[in-house]
Amino acid sequence: MLQHVQRSYPKAYDLADKVIVYIEDKTHKQVAENERIYLTVHLNRVLQSTLAQ
């Protein structure tokens, strides 16, 4: 599933990865794969709505 999301939403995935690296650095806890997918999908929605304006 993660690979599908990564291929389908490359910009959102890259942005989510940066956010997750920041979160993991600050909390010293690993973000789960399902949270990475969730964040990517929602960031993609934000990016799409921003580009549509």
Side-chain angles (χ1 to χ4, degrees), residues 9-53:
Y9 314 120
K11 289 181 183 179
Y13 182 83
D14 288 343
L15 183 56
D17 191 54
K18 290 176 183 177
V19 171
I20 288 169
V21 166
Y22 178 82
I23 290 170
E24 289 177 341
D25 183 56
K26 296 300 179 186
T27 64
H28 305 289
K29 296 182 181 179
Q30 188 173 4
V31 175
E33 182 177 304
N34 63 332
E35 295 296 336
R36 184 180 300 267
I37 292 168
Y38 180 85
L39 182 58
T40 300
V41 170
H42 287 282
L43 285 172
N44 186 65
R45 289 179 56 192
V46 171
L47 290 172
Q48 291 301 316
S49 67
T50 302
L51 294 174
Q53 294 179 0

